[in-house]
Amino acid sequence: TGNAVVNPPFYISAANAKISNGPNGGVQVAIKNNGGEDYQIQSVVISNCGTYTGAPDSIAADAVATVTVECDVANALTAGSNIKGDITITYRKVGIAVDLTSTGTIAQKVVA
């Protein structure tokens, strides 16, 4: 249980922090594109965890992209603990090489 929110054009429709998401645990987030146009996600960073490195990912208008941000060794998750951090989604409009950001916060209880 917990919450995760980011600024438009994105919306986090679901999030979970699990020790099984990667070798040190991680946070899986479902990011919905409410922006009305297609974007390319360049990176997703969660402070106190790590960086999603599978980008760039295309995300169409009204579509949902699910990414897993694996935590660094120094931020390894423990079941039953809580993770709180800032989320930064770096993205671009299709065909335009200018980085834009959507920021927010996450607070989740870590599960196995």
Side-chain angles (χ1 to χ4, degrees):
T1 60
N3 67 343
V5 294
V6 291
N7 292 328
F10 299 112
Y11 170 80
I12 294 183
S13 56
N16 69 26
K18 297 174 82 169
I19 61 171
S20 56
N21 286 342
N24 305 300
V27 182
Q28 190 175 49
V29 288
I31 302 167
K32 184 168 193 285
N33 176 1
N34 284 339
E37 61 183 300
D38 296 355
Y39 296 114
Q40 288 273 343
I41 293 176
Q42 302 296 310
S43 68
V44 180
V45 177
I46 299 178
S47 66
N48 301 319
C49 180
T51 303
Y52 168 67
T53 55
D57 288 336
S58 296
I59 180 169
D62 294 321
V64 175
T66 301
V67 303
T68 300
V69 178
E70 291 187 9
C71 292
D72 304 324
V73 174
N75 294 317
L77 299 182
T78 307
S81 65
N82 293 298
I83 179 171
K84 291 185 175 166
D86 296 320
I87 302 174
T88 303
I89 301 170
T90 302
Y91 67 100
R92 293 179 176 177
K93 294 183 178 184
V94 175
I96 301 175
V98 175
D99 286 345
L100 305 169
T101 56
S102 170
T103 58
T105 58
I106 184 166
Q108 292 281 314
K109 186 164 187 80
V110 179
V111 297

